[in-house]
Amino acid sequence: MNKYELLFIIDNDVADEAKEAVIDRITKVVTDNGGEVESMDKWGTRKYAYPINFKTEGYYVLVNFSAPTTVPAEIERLVRIMDETVRCMIIRK
């Protein structure tokens, strides 16, 4: 199993309960596929460096996890189809 770092941005207009649901859904993908979430850091609302979809702020979440090599592709697929997420970046440590 490899160690990964995931940073994703949730649309700031989404309600707090929906933000928690998005975070739970993404971490569930890791745990359901045999991975383990090592740490999670909710950075909160931050300004973008440049406007994205005519918006200037988003809710940032940083997750460190270890998982099999198939999990990052599944997370990226999930983030692309979710309307609540803006961006996602996964780095192998």
Side-chain angles (χ1 to χ4, degrees):
M1 293 209 315
N2 296 322
K3 291 185 182 283
Y4 297 97
E5 182 175 273
L6 163 68
L7 178 66
F8 62 97
I9 307 170
I10 302 172
D11 189 359
N12 206 29
D13 295 338
V14 176
D16 290 338
E17 297 84 24
K19 288 177 187 173
E20 288 299 323
V22 169
I23 294 168
D24 291 340
R25 190 170 170 192
I26 290 174
T27 56
K28 190 174 182 325
V29 170
V30 174
T31 56
D32 286 352
N33 289 308
E36 177 185 342
V37 176
E38 296 169 358
S39 67
M40 182 184 319
D41 189 14
K42 298 174 186 172
W43 291 358
T45 302
R46 300 272 177 126
K47 284 196 172 274
Y48 296 148
Y50 53 89
I52 300 174
N53 298 332
F54 304 104
K55 297 182 182 177
T56 59
E57 291 182 335
Y59 189 85
Y60 285 70
V61 181
L62 177 71
V63 180
N64 289 303
F65 66 96
S66 57
T69 57
T70 58
V71 174
E74 180 63 24
I75 291 173
E76 285 184 10
R77 185 193 68 79
L78 178 67
V79 167
R80 281 194 191 119
I81 62 174
M82 293 174 66
D83 293 332
E84 297 90 355
T85 55
V86 179
R87 293 278 200 276
C88 165
M89 182 173 62
I90 302 174
I91 299 171
R92 182 172 166 226
K93 289 186 171 183

